[in-house]
Amino acid sequence: MCGIVAYLGPKDAYPFLIKGLHRLEYRGYDSAGIALLNKKLSVYKTKGKVSELEKFISGSNLNGHAGIAHTRWATHGEPNTINAHPHLSQNKKLAVIHNGIIENYASLKKTLIGRGYHFDSDTDTEVLINLIEDIQLNEKTELEEAVRIALNQVTGAYAIAILSQDNPDSMIVARKGSPMVIGVGEDEFFV
């Protein structure tokens, strides 16, 4: 069972994200990861428990007022660090976490490979973020519109959270068939 946690606001995101991941541990998972946005996207992920992630990122710069975090239960690809979420787009400007399954990921991946994309993981999630990037670049559209177009092309269920290096004051979330709760605070947002 995957779990997602996200934060956007004036406080450091990391403490909220790591606490949220620990609260999701009861669901069962095989890997965990965090993406923090502080001028650029920094992604930390590892196979294993949240405590392994904490050890892995100990001593790293964990500043950032926007972040997304994930616990993964493998559905596409073996449980390892490469398949753990978050996933970056090919240009490394977008990061995504995803609950659910993109059923038509193989045909989308084949199309993207034909357009010059390469994939590091075996996941449907990496296909989704590269599809969004491809639409944004080729359609010359804003990220929100690229996400909308991409989600109209996928078949399956999802709850996603996306950060963009070019839009540090926003986060895009969407869901279809998977649950998601959004909390609104004073100038801050929680997923």
Side-chain angles (χ1 to χ4, degrees):
M1 301 278 284
C2 302
I4 65 174
V5 181
Y7 175 82
L8 174 67
K11 301 172 189 160
D12 276 334
Y14 177 76
F16 171 77
L17 298 174
I18 203 72
K19 186 175 184 180
L21 289 180
H22 278 298
R23 287 184 174 173
L24 290 170
E25 287 185 298
Y26 74 94
R27 296 169 58 104
Y29 61 98
D30 55 50
S31 58
I34 290 178
L36 295 167
L37 182 55
N38 185 7
K39 296 183 183 170
K40 68 178 193 104
L41 283 165
S42 298
V43 173
Y44 309 95
K45 55 188 186 175
T46 188
K47 179 181 175 182
K49 300 292 182 192
V50 175
S51 60
E52 294 298 317
L53 176 64
E54 287 178 294
K55 288 177 197 171
F56 175 69
I57 61 179
S58 178
S60 300
N61 178 357
L62 300 175
N63 294 326
H65 298 292
I68 56 179
H70 190 270
T71 56
R72 176 179 185 259
W73 189 261
T75 54
H76 291 97
E78 66 181 75
N80 61 29
T81 299
I82 291 171
N83 289 330
H85 297 208
H87 287 285
L88 290 169
S89 62
Q90 189 161 286
N91 68 12
K92 308 224 182 305
K93 291 187 174 189
L94 303 174
V96 66
I97 53 177
H98 165 229
N99 256 3
I101 297 176
I102 305 300
E103 296 169 5
N104 62 334
Y105 83 98
S107 62
L108 294 169
K109 184 175 184 176
K110 183 177 180 181
T111 300
L112 290 168
I113 289 171
R115 292 183 184 159
Y117 282 82
H118 68 276
F119 295 86
D120 297 320
S121 78
D122 299 316
T123 68
D124 55 341
T125 305
E126 188 182 14
V127 172
L128 176 60
I129 198 62
N130 282 308
L131 176 63
I132 292 166
E133 175 189 291
D134 185 66
I135 291 168
Q136 184 182 21
L137 296 176
N138 291 316
E139 301 286 327
K140 300 197 184 340
T141 185
E142 295 294 322
L143 180 58
E144 295 85 359
E145 180 66 6
V147 171
R148 188 189 66 72
I149 292 167
L151 293 178
N152 280 323
Q153 293 181 21
V154 302
T155 303
Y158 53 80
I160 62 170
I162 299 171
L163 289 178
S164 169
Q165 188 170 293
D166 293 338
N167 299 297
D169 296 324
S170 66
M171 177 184 304
I172 297 175
V173 297
R175 64 168 287 279
K176 177 184 176 187
S178 293
M180 178 183 285
V181 177
I182 299 173
V184 180
E186 202 166 307
D187 297 322
E188 60 187 352
F189 303 91
F190 308 87
V191 180

